[in-house]
Amino acid sequence: MRTKLVAGNWKLNGSLSSIRELIDGMLAGVDAVKTAGVAVCPPAIYIPEVTAMVKDSKIAVGSQNVCDQDSGAYTGEIAGAMLKEFGCEYAIVGHSERRSLYGEDDAMVAARFAAARRNGLKPILCIGEKLEEREQGVTEDVVSRQIDAVIAVEGISAFADAVIAYEPVWAIGTGKTASPQQAQDVHAFIRGKLAALDAGIAENIIIQYGGSMNAGNAEELLGMPDIDGGLIGGASLKAADFLAICQAAG
Ligand code: PEP
């Protein structure tokens, strides 16, 4: 039986004082979240502060990316072991902003996914189509290609310790949410694709939805059978909104 997971992606937002206020707000209400897992992914420099603040709570911490390499001359990158050392449990990989703004292609995302796993982090693999790809009817081809790139490097078994976040690019930060049925259709496709290779992994893997999920639309989205939580951007920056989504997850 899958439990849901709601993760907040804070992106490049916050200050020491604002993240303290945000975490304090979350700590005050998180006990009302009964079954769902809760995680936050702060800007990397705040990870030590956040892990210290949440250490006696059910809130887990993730990074927004991880280097494909473990050490060496890779200026500006952060290795999986470093993230692990500071208490991270998850690492987002392949977020559409990394793919589109920083040129991370499928092979690079797969290498980062592999680096997360070999350092004991659970990758949250972001996949999803752009608006023109949806309009061309190639959504399934796109998410298939993105998943296949990881399977080619890591094999299907790697998904036993991973999360997938289906994030249609046209819905990220735009206020346009995929309808529950649109999202469900893609989630079911992804699960079916994995099931063709390993039924057990497909049944157990958490497939989050991401893209303008908020306190108002979370319940309907999370009520769909293959939507196992959310990766939340904007709405994760306000404790009350984020907690409302977590509570909608269970
Ligand atoms: C995201 O960045 O992963 C995301 C889903 O953002 P938003 O919720 O703001 O659309």
Side-chain angles (χ1 to χ4, degrees):
M1 181 65 188
R2 303 186 291 274
T3 49
K4 291 188 167 55
L5 173 68
V6 180
N9 172 16
W10 295 355
K11 311 193 188 191
L12 186 61
N13 292 297
S15 63
L16 201 46
S17 69
S18 76
I19 62 131
R20 283 179 178 149
E21 196 182 321
L22 180 53
I23 290 292
D24 279 340
M26 288 179 57
L27 289 171
V30 76
D31 284 348
V33 183
K34 294 296 173 217
T35 55
V38 177
V40 292
C41 302
I45 195 161
Y46 296 129
I47 285 172
E49 178 73 11
V50 172
T51 50
M53 286 185 79
V54 302
K55 81 172 176 346
D56 296 320
S57 78
K58 67 175 290 181
I59 302 171
V61 179
S63 61
Q64 296 178 14
N65 206 348
V66 57
C67 187
D68 57 315
Q69 306 292 325
D70 289 338
S71 66
Y74 301 98
T75 302
E77 293 284 337
I78 301 179
M82 299 171 184
L83 296 165
K84 188 79 185 168
E85 196 173 18
F86 279 89
C88 282
E89 189 176 331
Y90 297 97
I92 296 173
V93 296
H95 191 280
S96 69
E97 288 150 17
R98 298 301 314 175
R99 292 178 190 262
S100 67
L101 301 174
Y102 296 94
E104 292 184 18
D105 61 11
D106 288 338
M108 174 53 79
V109 172
R112 289 177 188 261
F113 181 106
R117 287 191 65 251
R118 74 174 170 266
N119 287 290
L121 299 164
K122 288 182 200 143
I124 299 178
L125 173 68
C126 298
I127 58 174
E129 81 287 3
K130 300 188 189 106
L131 182 59
E132 62 267 29
E133 292 166 333
R134 174 158 284 264
E135 287 170 349
Q136 285 159 15
V138 295
T139 296
E140 293 181 357
D141 299 334
V142 172
V143 297
S144 263
R145 190 202 72 223
Q146 292 169 327
I147 292 171
D148 284 341
V150 174
I151 293 175
V153 173
E154 287 281 270
I156 182 67
S157 62
F159 284 87
D161 281 322
V163 173
I164 292 176
Y166 167 59
E167 301 205 299
V169 178
W170 48 272
I172 296 178
T174 59
K176 279 188 211 149
T177 315
S179 72
Q181 193 57 55
Q182 273 177 325
Q184 165 60 26
D185 289 348
V186 182
H187 283 233
F189 170 77
I190 294 166
R191 203 179 304 283
K193 176 182 171 65
L194 298 178
L197 298 171
D198 189 312
I201 284 176
E203 184 53 32
N204 289 325
I205 192 166
I206 291 174
I207 307 178
Q208 300 174 313
Y209 168 79
S212 300
M213 195 190 275
N214 58 42
N217 60 28
E219 197 171 334
E220 224 192 330
L221 284 159
L222 293 167
M224 302 307 279
D226 288 295
I227 300 185
D228 309 319
L231 183 57
I232 318 297
S236 70
L237 297 172
K238 288 198 183 127
D241 291 359
F242 187 62
L243 286 171
I245 298 170
C246 295
Q247 284 183 39

